[in-house]
Amino acid sequence: TFQIIAEPVSKEINGIAIRMYSYNKQIPGPLIKVKQGSAIYVNFTNNLDMDTTIHWHGIRLENKFDGAPNITQQPVKPKGTFIYKIKFPDEGVYWYHTHVREGMQQELGLYGGIFVEPKNKSYFNKVNKEVFLFLDDIKMAKSDVDVFGKDFARFALMGRFGNVILVNGENYYKLNANKEDIVRFYLIDTANTRTFNFSIENRKLKFIGSDSGKYEKEEFKDSIIIAPSERYIAEALFENAGTFKILHKTPFKTYVLGEINVKDTNSQNNNSSNFYELKENKEIKSSIDNLRKYFDKEPDFHIDLTLDMKMQMDGMMAMDLKENIEWEDEMPSMNAMSTSKNIKWIIKDKATGKENMDINYKVKVGDVKKIRFFNDPKSAHPMQHPMHLHGQRFLVLSEDGKRNENLVWKDTVLVPKGSTIDILADFTNPGEWMMHCHIAEHLESGMMSMFTVT
């Protein structure tokens, strides 16, 4: 049994003490470590001045504990309590966060991590250190957080890009390691809207997993693009002493998020000789084998991602649309004028024309459905969307017709501007489940729909 209290806290950002929200006076909230197959109770108390819930992101839990307000539970009122029971059928790295006024409450600190330790004790490679990195940002204005709308989301067009980037709640993160250490990083993007391109200076990263466990095979990459709510698991070997910068590189700018200081002291348990081996994970492949017969089927659902604007569009197309990801707020004046009252982001079912919460797909436990997302490049403002499905897991089959040759179980997929993404959802968990864009301001501007699994 865990006790979690949502409550205000004073936190220093860039030398300025500001009022934020926290779980147990921590930002990020407490890291919950559990064993695969176990269950916990969370006694939750809301000591904020507004309603809230906790959503247990990516976990195939019982529907009534999912934390979706007015769908699976009523919002928890100020001074109210709620008991969540959470079962953990799948290994991997997950997170928990508010699901009420997400654009405000999450930006102010209501998020934390969950690590589900695999039953198989040799599931992961041997490493010297495990580190959770929460990639985030916050929008400051002079000596405080930039204001939020009282009953609506601001910056609804492009999302609320922060102007101070945070790692684990700090605006410059530091980590110590020893020479020859292998460090495993669990990366979680908890930003409202910012997509990160994560790398470590002069280090190859060995990517071993994502949202819900391991890839079919390990692979080396110089960097990884991680969208809001996605998770990635990567390992790095520090063969030499020195300082290695943690970077977020876009086509326009390189941000230094922090540094890793490697001391000239040899690691106590040296596993470095194994680092350059790339494993194939046969157990992951076998967990997918019975679904391969569905890979080439026609999509069961065609979903268009688009936009309805009720605001003046002068200058809207002035920005460079060549990039399929918006890395920054390119039009701050227009974005500042956009709210969830004059912007409507849309999930549209192509077959019926239904939009957002008028869509409620009916499926059964055991169904395997292929879903095609198309991000309309001719909308008034095409932008990437990280699409998240509650309570189930899926495989990302292809992007723009190119087959994905290294599968991993996911619950969030980034759909870039103009792209077509096919996913294969394995519906195993009964209940009413949200599907939505995980850019918080897009969610608050209507970009959500439903799956009912019977």
Side-chain angles (χ1 to χ4, degrees), residues 57-122:
H57 185 111
I59 296 169
R60 294 191 291 169
L61 77 174
E62 191 177 346
N63 186 244
K64 65 182 178 181
F65 300 119
D66 186 52
N70 302 311
I71 296 172
T72 65
Q73 72 172 101
Q74 291 301 307
V76 183
K77 299 289 183 184
K79 304 302 180 185
T81 62
F82 190 87
I83 298 177
Y84 294 95
K85 183 180 181 181
I86 311 157
K87 296 179 180 179
F88 300 94
D90 307 307
E91 70 276 8
V93 54
Y94 304 90
W95 65 303
Y96 59 98
H97 61 83
T98 176
H99 223 303
V100 175
R101 287 302 307 274
E102 202 168 308
M104 175 195 293
Q105 294 185 9
Q106 189 175 299
E107 170 142 335
L108 290 177
L110 289 186
Y111 59 87
I114 303 168
F115 179 64
V116 183
E117 179 185 325
K119 288 179 180 177
N120 179 0
K121 294 190 181 300
S122 59

Side-chain angles (χ1 to χ4, degrees), residues 225 302-306 321-326 350 371-379 382-387 396 398-402 413-423 447:
I225 292 174
H302 288 259
I303 295 172
D304 291 341
L305 308 177
T306 186
L321 293 178
K322 293 177 184 176
E323 289 290 324
N324 63 2
I325 291 174
E326 262 175 56
K350 192 173 182 180
I371 303 169
R372 175 165 291 171
F373 294 108
F374 172 63
N375 191 344
D376 183 6
K378 296 182 179 179
S379 68
M383 184 177 176
Q384 73 273 8
H385 298 287
M387 298 303 297
V396 181
S398 65
E399 179 174 347
D400 297 328
K402 183 179 179 182
V413 59
L414 178 61
V415 186
K417 292 186 282 188
S419 286
T420 299
I421 301 285
D422 286 349
I423 69 170
M447 204 170 192

Side-chain angles (χ1 to χ4, degrees), residues 31-43:
L31 176 64
I32 298 174
K33 287 190 172 185
V34 295
K35 294 184 184 298
Q36 182 184 2
S38 67
I40 65 171
Y41 290 100
V42 175
N43 290 333

